[in-house]
Amino acid sequence: MIDLVYVTYNSEKWIENCIKSIVKSDYDKKEIHIVIVDNASIDKTRSILEEMKRRYENLFGEIEIVQNVKNEGFGRANNIGFKRCVSDIVCFINIDTELAEDAFKQLEQEIADSDEKTALWEFRQYPFEHPKIYDPLTGETGWASGAAFAVRRKVFEEVNGFDERIFLYVEDVDLSWRIRWAGYRLKYVPNVKIIHYSYENGVTLKMDQYVYGVINNILLRYRYGTFRDICWGHLIFFREILHQEVMAGAKKKLVLEYIRHYKKIFHFFQHGKYKKNRGEFFPSFIHTDYSINRQGAFYKSSMFDSSSDFDKKPLVSILVRTCQRPEVLRESLLSIQKQTYKNLEVIVVEDGENCAEEMIRTEFSKLKIHYLATGTKVGRSKAGNIAMQKASGKYLNFLDDDDLFFADHVEVLAAALEHSEKKAAYAIGLETSIVVESKKPYQYQIKTSRTAYQQGFDRVMLCHHNYIPIQCMMFQKELFLSYGGLDESVDALEDWDLWVRYSMYTDFIFVEKTTSVYRVPYEKSISQIRQKQLDDALAGMREKHKSYKQLIDVKTIAELYEKTIM
């Protein structure tokens, strides 16, 4: 059995579609227990809830409706609902959502695949995926959005549920961090999908979201932060007061809530007593946010399909070049295995001896992998061309063995191409600088993360320098068949040369979302050697590009001229 907890407050427009999505679920309805807690709504919410209960009470295991006499807030209302739950797994879901048909079956599988130290599973939201960073390999995340997640009942009880002294917007962060404090992990599960209508009217910042975002950030710093963190929290507040008002009346309300927050200081300091024993839990305070975010917070993804529908989508071939380092390759293959887009094949070409063959055969039987080792060294470009020749997909996408995809990479780019006449699309890559501590097993430290390139398609700029990392680009195989592959005479900047050549025949779609990760060396000495190789290759590539004749329309020439005189 699984418990679902919903909180309503003047939610009449959402209830029917929300409940109907549960009805459409392919999960056994008798195993679903629904608890809806209404926070004293004054619209038609209560009557609609009663009607839904009468209509479906014989379909589900149970539907309970709790009527609060006043608005108790998000955290307290969820705690009230939790007390009516009986299952080992409890889902807390916003009422303005609709579940995918296979959401509970996917969740069941994710829970079965998790160890006991994984305590919470955060669902993926459509059309706007929450932008916070997560580990593309394990799914581990620093905190989980309260819009839709499942949690182990015993862990929720252990940490005493939501903190009822927090009224808006960071209840989920606080709960997540207390769970991590207790030694558990949080996991983001992109295959468990919901539609969330939180931004149906656009992405305009709301007054309460702004004010409580600042004030509750200070409260969390009391509980989890250092003295320096707390000072920064107050500094952020005073900066907001001194700067231009973000919306009418915001400063007045911000000052009022700042004065009121002093009544809560003792509560948050008192419940921050475990800071000395938090182990490996290190909270993040990034201005008023709590994690590094990926670019593309409001990139609107296409409406999700069920897993079976993905088989009807065009085949995508992922091209992986590797060279005698199966420990590194394992990570890139894991990130492919976790893709939400299922109609995939993987072409692995090993430049040299077949060191990775056994690992692939024993660990990745679920992936459709075509493996080939060249035997003798042929170079990166030749290996890439072999992969493109072997590929059967309509679309091709490189992923070198030291790069990673986030779970939606293929889904997002394939959808962009399917809805366009253009033949290539690229998204944003997250650059991480690493220090390799061990090659066997492959262990490394991530030192920095940054978005180095987020450049819209500019054919002229692309002729000057490459702003599209190789794993960011998906393109039709037709381009390879018509205009050739990588230049096998070079072993660096070969991807840039390919993009320049393809741009002579098609525009590229720019998807403003971070969907992949590429690594660069952190050590200065290694970076300098790498940069010297690229600089040397650039001179030769400039000479080669003299033979490329690029067609440019008059409008582009005019825009280029305007840039030069500004």
Side-chain angles (χ1 to χ4, degrees):
M1 179 173 281
I2 191 168
D3 287 307
L4 311 181
V5 178
Y6 292 91
V7 174
T8 57
Y9 177 69
N10 295 341
S11 307
E12 59 181 18
K13 66 183 292 186
W14 308 117
I15 298 168
E16 187 166 356
N17 286 340
C18 178
I19 301 299
K20 282 183 176 179
S21 74
I22 309 173
V23 173
K24 293 177 183 176
S25 168
D26 58 10
Y27 199 74
D28 183 353
K29 309 302 184 298
K30 289 297 182 183
E31 293 296 308
I32 297 176
H33 173 210
I34 303 172
V35 181
I36 303 174
V37 182
D38 182 63
N39 263 335
S41 295
I42 56 175
D43 62 357
K44 297 178 181 178
T45 292
R46 294 191 179 202
S47 61
I48 294 173
L49 288 176
E50 294 298 337
E51 170 59 24
M52 288 293 106
K53 181 175 181 178
R54 284 191 295 270
R55 193 187 309 177
Y56 297 118
E57 61 184 347
N58 293 325
L59 178 65
F60 296 109
E62 189 173 4
I63 299 179
E64 291 187 67
I65 299 174
V66 180
Q67 301 284 5
N68 288 335
V69 297
K70 64 177 182 178
N71 188 345
E72 299 285 0
F74 178 82
R76 178 165 171 73
N78 273 308
N79 287 345
I80 291 170
F82 176 79
K83 291 175 183 178
R84 305 293 185 102
C85 296
V86 296
S87 305
D88 291 335
I89 300 296
V90 179
C91 297
F92 294 91
I93 308 175
N94 284 9
I95 197 68
D96 60 339
T97 62
E98 295 174 26
L99 288 156
E101 288 183 19
D102 65 344
F104 293 134
K105 284 193 174 179
Q106 291 287 344
L107 175 62
E108 197 171 52
Q109 185 61 55
E110 290 284 356
I111 294 170
D113 292 342
S114 301
D115 62 20
E116 285 297 315
K117 281 297 182 182
T118 303
L120 183 151
W121 300 265
E122 179 190 0
F123 305 173
R124 178 174 176 184
Q125 301 175 43
Y126 281 80
F128 302 111
E129 184 181 30
H130 200 289
K132 66 180 181 301
I133 201 79
Y134 65 92
D135 189 317
L137 302 174
T138 66
E140 189 169 350
T141 185
W143 64 275
S145 167
F149 68 90
V151 64
R152 295 191 193 275
R153 177 186 179 82
K154 64 179 183 180
V155 175
F156 192 81
E157 290 175 335
E158 181 181 337
V159 301
N160 298 315
F162 285 100
D163 187 335
E164 298 174 9
R165 296 293 297 274
I166 303 174
F167 194 77
L168 284 170
Y169 295 117
V170 296
E171 302 97 330
D172 46 9
V173 179
D174 178 68
L175 175 68
S176 298
W177 283 2
R178 281 185 285 115
I179 289 173
R180 290 180 61 200
W181 233 347
Y184 298 99
R185 290 185 292 272
L186 321 173
K187 188 176 181 181
Y188 178 56
V189 285
N191 285 314
V192 184
K193 311 180 187 81
I194 63 162
I195 303 173
H196 188 199
Y197 293 102
S198 59
Y199 293 105
E200 64 161 355
N201 296 320
V203 295
T204 305
L205 186 68
K206 300 174 184 176
M207 173 73 81
D208 284 347
Q209 187 177 8
Y210 165 70
V211 171
Y212 289 106
V214 174
I215 299 303
N216 288 334
N217 180 265
I218 299 173
L219 294 175
L220 291 194
R221 288 170 186 265
Y222 294 143
R223 175 169 289 173
Y224 301 101
T226 62
F227 178 73
R228 179 185 175 89
D229 291 328
I230 295 169
C231 291
W232 268 107
H234 287 278
L235 181 61
I236 289 168
F237 164 77
F238 285 111
R239 281 180 175 175
E240 293 300 314
I241 295 300
L242 293 173
H243 287 174
Q244 184 176 353
E245 192 166 47
V246 297
M247 64 189 78
K251 286 188 179 182
K252 181 178 180 180
K253 185 165 185 177
L254 191 59
V255 170
L256 181 61
E257 292 302 324
Y258 180 76
I259 294 169
R260 288 175 176 170
H261 103 278
Y262 280 100
K263 296 180 180 179
K264 300 179 181 180
I265 289 179
F266 177 75
H267 171 78
F268 282 88
F269 268 125
Q270 183 186 36
H271 289 81
K273 60 187 177 183
Y274 302 110
K275 273 192 280 191
K276 294 179 181 178
N277 302 309
R278 64 186 176 193
E280 295 184 3
F281 166 52
F282 298 101
S284 296
F285 292 102
I286 304 171
H287 194 67
T288 56
D289 216 332
Y290 307 97
S291 66
I292 297 172
N293 285 340
R294 295 186 288 151
Q295 295 292 110
F298 298 111
Y299 177 80
K300 192 170 185 176
S301 299
S302 301
M303 191 69 69
F304 65 78
D305 303 299
S306 66
S307 295
S308 61
D309 286 338
F310 278 123
D311 295 331
K312 301 173 186 177
K313 303 296 185 184
L315 179 66
V316 176
S317 301
I318 307 301
L319 316 174
V320 182
R321 304 181 293 183
T322 188
C323 183
Q324 284 76 60
R325 46 183 192 176
E327 297 281 341
V328 179
L329 174 64
R330 178 182 287 111
E331 291 201 346
S332 65
L333 294 180
L334 277 171
S335 77
I336 297 171
Q337 189 167 268
K338 292 180 178 293
Q339 290 300 294
T340 55
Y341 191 98
K342 302 304 181 186
N343 194 16
L344 295 172
E345 68 170 5
V346 186
I347 313 296
V348 178
V349 178
E350 184 152 23
D351 187 12
E353 297 179 3
N354 60 336
C355 294
E357 185 173 15
E358 178 66 15
M359 183 271 290
I360 290 172
R361 184 179 62 80
T362 56
E363 297 182 28
F364 292 97
S365 58
K366 292 181 181 180
L367 273 178
K368 183 181 178 182
I369 297 182
H370 305 284
Y371 171 81
L372 172 70
T374 60
T376 57
K377 294 281 187 179
V378 299
R380 290 159 47 91
S381 296
K382 176 71 172 178
N385 285 339
I386 292 171
M388 286 192 276
Q389 289 165 356
K390 297 287 185 184
S392 303
K394 178 180 179 181
Y395 300 122
L396 310 183
N397 200 133
F398 282 100
L399 180 68
D400 285 346
D401 63 3
D402 56 348
D403 297 332
L404 303 172
F405 288 154
F406 285 107
D408 64 335
H409 173 85
V410 176
E411 173 193 324
V412 166
L413 289 181
L417 286 168
E418 282 292 281
H419 292 91
S420 172
E421 295 181 355
K422 297 172 185 176
K423 300 180 186 301
Y426 66 99
I428 300 170
L430 183 70
E431 181 184 281
T432 59
S433 62
I434 64 169
V435 174
V436 177
E437 299 173 334
S438 167
K439 293 184 178 179
K440 290 186 178 181
Y442 184 46
Q443 295 178 337
Y444 53 88
Q445 254 191 9
I446 298 175
K447 292 293 189 177
T448 63
S449 296
R450 71 182 185 118
T451 301
Y453 306 106
Q454 42 187 320
Q455 172 64 48
F457 179 60
D458 186 320
R459 184 174 279 105
V460 174
M461 184 179 293
L462 187 61
C463 291
H464 180 265
H465 67 271
N466 188 23
Y467 52 81
I468 308 174
I470 190 168
Q471 82 290 341
C472 293
M473 177 79 82
M474 183 180 289
F475 55 95
Q476 287 191 17
K477 185 174 181 180
E478 177 189 324
L479 288 174
F480 168 69
L481 295 175
S482 299
Y483 308 114
L486 300 166
D487 183 346
E488 296 178 10
S489 69
V490 300
D491 215 32
L493 302 181
E494 74 282 4
D495 53 338
W496 175 42
D497 178 58
L498 192 67
W499 308 152
V500 170
R501 189 150 21 98
Y502 287 173
S503 73
M504 296 166 67
Y505 308 103
T506 180
D507 289 347
F508 299 164
I509 304 165
F510 175 44
V511 174
E512 296 184 63
K513 184 175 186 182
T514 302
T515 62
S516 65
V517 178
Y518 63 99
R519 277 79 174 264
V520 297
Y522 177 75
E523 295 98 324
K524 187 175 181 180
S525 58
I526 300 176
S527 295
Q528 288 174 337
I529 294 171
R530 181 172 178 268
Q531 189 58 52
K532 175 71 164 55
Q533 293 170 339
L534 293 173
D535 291 342
D536 291 343
L538 178 62
M541 198 60 72
R542 292 278 189 227
E543 191 66 27
K544 179 188 179 184
H545 285 176
K546 287 180 179 179
S547 65
Y548 290 5
K549 305 303 179 184
Q550 185 74 267
L551 293 177
I552 304 178
D553 59 84
V554 172
K555 179 175 181 291
T556 302
I557 295 173
E559 290 172 347
L560 182 62
Y561 174 76
E562 288 175 357
K563 289 179 182 178
T564 63
I565 62 175
M566 285 179 64

